[in-house]
Amino acid sequence: MDIRIEYCVQWDYKPKALSLRRTLEAEFGIVAELKPGDVGAFEVFVNDNLIFSKFQLGRFPDDPPNVGWVEIIKLIKEM
């Protein structure tokens, strides 16, 4: 499984992307690729399929410290 996280550098979303990558590595044993993206981007791809889009939804996925990226983990497990 290949996972890619595209994130906005301008808005400093890299810390969120790194947090998600650490969580996915712990959960699945896979190190996600981090890729700078468009302004405002926080998009998650699995095997080149978009599974989460901040552009489309207008929000971030559930993230720490509240729930620990549960939404993204669930989406990946449902694939």
Side-chain angles (χ1 to χ4, degrees):
M1 177 180 341
D2 294 316
I3 301 173
R4 182 175 76 247
I5 305 164
E6 293 186 11
Y7 65 93
C8 176
V9 175
Q10 181 177 355
W11 288 98
D12 195 28
Y13 294 163
K14 188 173 185 178
K16 285 184 178 289
L18 288 168
S19 173
L20 177 54
R21 180 167 74 174
R22 283 190 300 271
T23 299
L24 295 176
E25 183 176 7
E27 183 73 26
F28 300 107
I30 296 169
V31 177
E33 172 190 359
L34 298 182
K35 181 179 178 189
D38 294 327
V39 174
F42 198 86
E43 316 300 291
V44 181
F45 296 83
V46 176
N47 298 329
D48 289 324
N49 295 306
L50 181 64
I51 66 161
F52 184 90
S53 172
K54 181 179 172 288
F55 283 135
Q56 292 175 359
L57 297 173
R59 64 173 178 83
F60 282 99
D62 296 331
D63 61 358
N66 301 324
V67 294
W69 301 107
V70 170
E71 182 176 8
I72 296 296
I73 291 168
K74 182 179 179 217
L75 289 169
I76 292 171
K77 287 182 176 180
E78 289 175 350
M79 292 189 73

